Amino acid sequence: MHEIAPGIHHWTAPHPKIKMNVSSYWLAAPRVLLDPLDVPGDVREVREIVLSNRHHKRDAFDAAERFGAPVRVPRVGLHEFGDDEPVEPYDFEEPFAGGAITAYQVTEYWPDDCALHIPSVSALVIADTVINYGGLRFVPDNLMGDDPEAEKRDMKATLGRLADELEFEHLLVAHGTPIPGEGRERLRDFASA
């Protein structure tokens, strides 16, 4: 685990299904775990565990048991969770986690895929709409729906708007390397290309 910016701790772990390293984060000040997988032993005092979309269960429920913290998920993704997986929903554009986080829907094509704005650490978290393995890009077309080009246009429009309207320095992606310091500029450039 590395502190990539003040209060933002990042680590990677191999995802058991996709067999690639994925990113997880611990935000020390709001005491929030984001999309946790293989949580390091030195993470302490977690208040909430937040999933950026319904697919990022990873080790969330193990972490919930370890820390006695609730698992928060987008309300539109609740259908993915059973009675044995207790979760608390959050809604788009409504602050949660003690007011520390506001979620935004990136595209109606992927209804529960979020961008999470966290002003206290100057960050924007992206679920799956953008990945960063050697540069910002979309997931491969075969992971999209029937019209990948329409999905990409829709995602770029929203991501560009969020980069223009929200204040943040750090871009935290669930898949790939986070971009500390220049995340907003890099996301704006990506969305306008």
Side-chain angles (χ1 to χ4, degrees), residues 53-72:
N53 73 24
R54 72 182 190 274
H55 300 298
H56 291 178
K57 290 181 189 180
R58 301 176 179 179
D59 289 339
F61 295 104
D62 290 340
E65 186 174 318
R66 174 177 159 190
F67 298 109
V71 176
R72 303 293 304 269

Side-chain angles (χ1 to χ4, degrees), residues 64-187:
E65 186 174 318
R66 174 177 159 190
F67 298 109
V71 176
R72 303 293 304 269
V73 302
R75 184 177 301 279
V76 294
L78 282 176
H79 63 278
E80 187 83 9
F81 301 91
D83 292 339
D84 61 332
E85 298 174 315
V87 296
E88 295 181 14
Y90 61 80
D91 295 302
F92 298 128
E93 301 189 31
E94 294 292 330
F96 66 99
I101 301 174
T102 302
Y104 295 89
Q105 184 181 49
V106 176
T107 178
E108 290 184 13
Y109 290 99
W110 304 3
D112 70 305
D113 212 71
C114 296
L116 303 172
H117 186 226
I118 311 169
S120 64
V121 293
S122 193
L124 187 71
V125 178
I126 300 288
D128 288 347
T129 51
V130 175
I131 60 176
N132 187 32
Y133 294 101
L136 291 177
R137 59 188 164 132
F138 293 116
V139 297
D141 286 359
N142 67 321
L143 297 176
M144 294 193 178
D146 294 335
D147 191 348
E149 294 310 311
E151 292 179 38
K152 291 175 192 177
R153 283 191 303 274
D154 190 54
M155 287 184 238
K156 279 190 171 190
T158 301
L159 293 170
R161 180 180 55 79
L162 293 175
D164 286 341
E165 294 176 1
L166 302 176
E167 293 290 331
F168 64 95
E169 298 174 71
H170 317 298
L171 185 64
L172 312 180
V173 293
H175 298 277
T177 307
I179 303 172
E182 58 186 36
R184 185 178 185 191
E185 293 78 18
R186 295 269 301 277
L187 185 62

